[in-house]
Amino acid sequence: MSERPDREAGRERARTGSGAGSTALLRGGRIRLDQPGPPRRRLVPEYDPEAFGVLSERIARFLGTGRFIVWMTLIIIVWLVWNVTAPRELRFDPYPFIFLTLMLSLQASYAAPLILLAQNRQGDRDRVTQEQERKQNERSISDTEYLTREIAALRIGLGEVTTRDWIRSELQDLVRDMADQHLVNRAEPGREEPDR
């Protein structure tokens, strides 16, 4: 009997269009599969992965600087000096320095994943850059091959075209042949030169 009021409420919401997820209900209380349902609540908080990645890169970049090493060294020295030389009542981490060890372990446990995340992002950027360079190289190779074919075609075409030097050499050969013919005609006494 408890299903009947739920069905009636679903029908009423479907008719009036009110209520959360009313677009996903059909008359009769059935769920429509062609329309999106109401958004689900998530137990895990949402975050922007890009912003988190940028923040992790900044932290990893800072952890890799000399400034970080100097500051970390100064903090540890001040920590040790304070906890060794200060009056007993003011010491917050006596000799075995367990709290210092805990803080350094905590810092390392956060630094390592942040550095790995930054390295992964850098690897992704490197892969994208490599892919773009590969495509650019392919385009350059195809352009070079095209230009090589065009130059070869021009050379073949120019091989068939008469050039000024070729015409000059042919004319010089004709002049030599005519001069030789003229000398031969003069050397033969019985031949007469034709009138011009």
Side-chain angles (χ1 to χ4, degrees):
M1 288 294 246
S2 64
E3 280 184 37
R4 185 160 251 159
D6 289 340
R7 246 189 223 169
E8 292 298 324
R11 286 183 188 150
E12 184 61 33
R13 278 192 305 245
R15 264 187 254 125
T16 61
S18 64
S22 63
T23 58
L25 292 177
L26 249 183
R27 293 190 179 168
R30 289 183 286 156
I31 296 175
R32 292 188 61 171
L33 298 177
D34 63 336
Q35 294 182 358
R40 295 182 187 173
R41 289 192 173 175
R42 300 185 76 166
L43 298 176
V44 179
E46 292 187 30
Y47 67 95
D48 182 16
E50 185 64 27
F52 188 74
V54 169
L55 177 67
S56 70
E57 286 178 342
R58 285 184 181 167
I59 292 171
R61 207 171 285 126
F62 175 70
L63 291 177
T65 62
R67 179 183 293 164
F68 171 75
I69 294 172
V70 168
W71 279 108
M72 187 67 129
T73 303
L74 287 175
I75 289 171
I76 292 172
I77 289 172
V78 168
W79 187 297
L80 293 175
V81 168
W82 179 266
N83 285 303
V84 170
T85 61
R88 284 201 185 273
E89 305 83 37
L90 297 176
R91 294 180 191 174
F92 56 90
D93 191 18
Y95 166 63
F97 308 116
I98 295 176
F99 189 54
L100 176 63
T101 307
L102 176 69
M103 294 307 292
L104 291 174
S105 297
L106 182 67
Q107 182 268 332
S109 69
Y110 273 98
L114 289 174
I115 291 170
L116 288 174
L117 180 62
Q119 286 176 344
N120 289 342
R121 286 174 53 86
Q122 184 62 43
D124 292 343
R125 277 195 299 273
D126 290 345
R127 273 191 291 282
V128 168
T129 303
Q130 251 180 350
E131 182 64 24
Q132 290 173 346
E133 287 174 355
R134 187 186 63 77
K135 287 179 181 177
Q136 180 63 36
N137 288 341
E138 286 177 356
R139 284 193 296 269
S140 296
I141 289 170
S142 67
D143 290 347
T144 304
E145 288 173 351
Y146 171 76
L147 290 174
T148 303
R149 286 192 302 271
E150 287 297 314
I151 289 172
L154 285 173
R155 283 184 178 169
I156 290 170
L158 283 177
E160 297 171 359
V161 172
T162 58
T163 63
R164 189 177 350 160
D165 294 336
W166 182 80
I167 291 174
R168 186 178 293 138
S169 68
E170 288 295 315
L171 286 175
Q172 286 172 351
D173 288 345
L174 284 174
V175 167
R176 264 189 242 115
D177 287 345
M178 287 174 64
D180 290 344
Q181 188 67 31
H182 184 65
L183 288 175
V184 168
N185 286 343
R186 275 193 176 176
E188 291 180 7
R191 281 185 96 180
E192 295 178 13
E193 288 188 30
D195 291 333
R196 292 186 191 176

